[in-house]
Amino acid sequence: MEKKTEQYDVVIIGGGAAGLTAGIYCGRARLKTLILEKSLVGGLATYTNEIENYPGFPEGATGTELMGLFHKQAKKFGVDFKMTDVKSVSVDGDVKIVETFRIRYECKAIIIASGGKPRLTGAQNEDKYLYDKGISFCATCDAASNTGKTVMVVGSGDAAIEEGMFLTKFADRVIVSVMHEHGKMDCNEIAKTEALENPKMEFIWNTVVHSFEGEERLDTVVLRNVKTNELHKVLVDSCFLFIGYVPNTEIFTGMIDMNRNGYIRINDRMETNVPGVFAAGDVCDKFLKQVATAVGDGAIAGYGAEKYISECEVYENQILNHGKPSVVYLWNATDAACRELLPVMEAFEQAHSTEFRVTKVDVYKSPGLAARLGIDTVPAIAYVTEGKIRRVITENINEASLASLLS
Ligand SMILES: Cc1cc2nc3c(=O)[nH]c(=O)nc-3n(C[C@H](O)[C@H](O)[C@H](O)COP(=O)(O)OP(=O)(O)OC[C@H]3O[C@@H](n4cnc5c(N)ncnc54)[C@H](O)[C@@H]3O)c2cc1C
């Protein structure tokens, strides 16, 4: 089957907090923007019952409410949404390709905001009970069906303990398996104190999951004491795993630079190692994975994509393919030598506007253009004809050296 091809300025992979924010920035910059989301617009945050630390919502908000607002705002700025799974990407060259089952999207920039998926324990029989058979990753989704029941929570980080406390509103017993010593948990101190005081919460310390058991549905979790290796059977109705996430980066393997755990390496502009490919949110190798930081990343990536596209256009249309020879003045407004040279350049531009096209590039605002020209010092002149850089002058730039370009 021949795939249909569609063109966009920016394609954003993933419609969570990071992708939606990037979409808001790109849409507002009037870029033709598409967000591809394979499961639920709003991403991971929609699985969270209460978000209390996102600024601007002093009463807190459910993840679904908050993400609903993000979604509405992205749509307001004209962002297109398609509910589909990205199968592959090709990032070489100026035209990037993002492919789904039916459509091949061509675009100028890609923003990877594909987040992560829950980490599994790797214990025996885990696959047999995933999702609707008793092992869950979402308290918001599955708490109500556990009303009056006994559930296990595996993990002791913020997500495990906060979602565990939420589960106590429904379940009669919430048994938490913690791999650390008695009293030691990975969550914040406030959550820890509240959880330890919660009469519905019980803790089994120094344990990891050995296996999951049950007929059709999970009914027993077998824990192993990490100190004694003793096995301990716990009867449960459901088990919630909150032991971290693994990034959704398989389709970028070998193309985009990642750390050893598969998180994408980015710089402070959210650029990956491939020009025109940005990453934002939980998919990145970064210190804090939260909605607030995903939003910051998305804003930078969206702004970066806009800059990248406009730099590509200047490079292609003004510098390389303008018909007449091009003189590029690379400068930085904060540099005294650059400022001094500015009137000389402007006089040159006026005198030779019929022979040359002069383009001034502020390297502070447009570092990408300087990088494309392969120039890392200012002031500098690049002389370009027929799409090729013929000469670069970085020293003794003056009327005489500029005039030498005429000969
Ligand atoms: C239980 C829990 C509680 C939390 N509580 C809080 C909290 O209180 N406060 C807070 O700030 N943060 C909280 N977080 C963290 C927060 O949810 C995340 O940091 C945030 O949602 C990350 O957003 P993101 O856009 O980077 O990724 P995600 O929200 O994971 O979005 C990525 C999206 O990409 C999609 N996707 C992936 N691969 C593809 C593909 N190939 N094609 C198309 N789409 C794809 C996914 O379906 C997903 O929707 C919590 C997380 C959990 C799990």
Side-chain angles (χ1 to χ4, degrees), residues 4 38 46 59 101 110 121 137 161 174-175 179 199 230 251 279 284 307 351 398:
K4 203 173 136 196
K38 71 172 176 185
T46 56
E59 309 305 326
F101 184 61
I110 295 177
T121 64
F137 307 92
I161 299 309
V174 176
I175 302 166
M179 67 174 173
E230 252 174 75
I251 57 172
C284 300
K307 273 268 167 228
N398 49 38

Side-chain angles (χ1 to χ4, degrees), residues 117-128:
K117 53 181 167 289
R119 186 185 295 283
L120 301 177
T121 64
Q124 284 170 33
N125 307 326
E126 193 167 34
D127 287 353
K128 200 172 153 190

Side-chain angles (χ1 to χ4, degrees), residues 129-144:
Y129 305 108
L130 290 180
Y131 302 105
D132 55 344
K133 298 270 168 35
I135 297 179
S136 172
F137 307 92
C138 176
T140 312
C141 320
D142 298 327

Side-chain angles (χ1 to χ4, degrees), residues 328-369:
V328 188
Y329 176 44
L330 291 111
W331 75 300
N332 182 340
T334 62
D335 181 275
C338 289
R339 283 198 304 271
E340 249 171 60
L341 208 54
L342 197 61
V344 177
M345 283 312 302
E346 286 175 352
F348 178 81
E349 182 176 10
Q350 220 168 18
H352 299 287
S353 60
T354 51
E355 301 126 276
F356 297 103
R357 172 168 186 126
V358 176
T359 305
K360 289 196 269 312
V361 172
D362 184 330
V363 296
Y364 178 73
K365 292 184 185 153
S366 305
L369 273 181

Side-chain angles (χ1 to χ4, degrees), residues 13-19 36-40 42-45 48 50-53 84-86 113-116 159 162-163 242 245 248 251 280-283 289-292 294:
I13 303 171
L36 296 169
E37 169 53 56
K38 71 172 176 185
S39 84
L40 204 60
L44 207 59
T48 310
E50 180 95 60
I51 298 189
E52 289 186 334
N53 54 1
T84 179
D85 190 356
V86 172
S114 50
E162 284 167 9
E163 298 302 301
F242 296 113
Y245 282 81
N248 287 318
I251 57 172
D282 282 11
V283 75
K289 297 188 176 75
Q290 288 275 281
V291 175

Side-chain angles (χ1 to χ4, degrees), residues 258-279:
M258 298 174 196
N259 72 9
R260 51 201 272 272
N261 296 320
Y263 287 94
I264 295 178
R265 288 206 173 97
I266 29 92
N267 61 17
D268 58 3
R269 293 168 182 257
M270 309 316 288
E271 293 165 331
T272 68
N273 60 314
V274 178
V277 181
F278 300 78

